[in-house]
Amino acid sequence: QLVVQNGNTLSVPAPVSVSAAQPAIFTQNQQGTGQGEIVNGFTNILADSKNPVHAGDVIAIYCTGLGPVNPAVEEGAIASTTVLSRTVTPVSTTVGGQTATAIFAGLAPGLVGVYQVNVVVPSAVTPGDSVPVVLTEGSQVSPPVTISVR
């Protein structure tokens, strides 16, 4: 429980959940909504309406809040490009409400404090320009963002 004190006054205790992870996908508008910072895993081109991905394609989802990795990387250090630091807790992904097969979840190689989740776009996804993508780690679920699928 969290209690706030201002002078001699205490607030009513409020329950607070603490979690090792709180996934969130980076977005183009930097507000956590709309087009995700999600690229075609082979071309590294944004999966938007001009460059949609297809069922069976690998996508790379750039995100934050996935918690501890192994091997650990010092805070503020660049993630190795030769030794992958994977998330300690498994990450699951849905694309268009369909479970996506995970290939990798961990720190993005060569970046600082950025996670990358690589998944295969499921074959049963309904095509569109605003297909939702969601990450789940433990009981924590990211806000949905979108990609374009044809």
Side-chain angles (χ1 to χ4, degrees), residues 38-47 53 57-62 103 116-119 121:
I38 302 171
V39 300
N40 181 305
F42 295 107
T43 65
N44 208 34
I45 296 173
L46 188 69
V53 292
D57 286 351
V58 173
I59 56 174
I61 304 164
Y62 292 97
I103 297 171
Q116 178 177 333
V117 177
N118 297 348
V119 299
V121 177

Side-chain angles (χ1 to χ4, degrees), residues 1 9 16 28 44 73 76 78 96 116 123 127 135-136 141 146-147:
Q1 290 190 333
T9 306
V16 176
Q28 286 284 292
N44 208 34
V73 173
I78 296 171
Q116 178 177 333
S123 60
L135 298 176
T136 303
V141 180
T146 62
I147 61 171

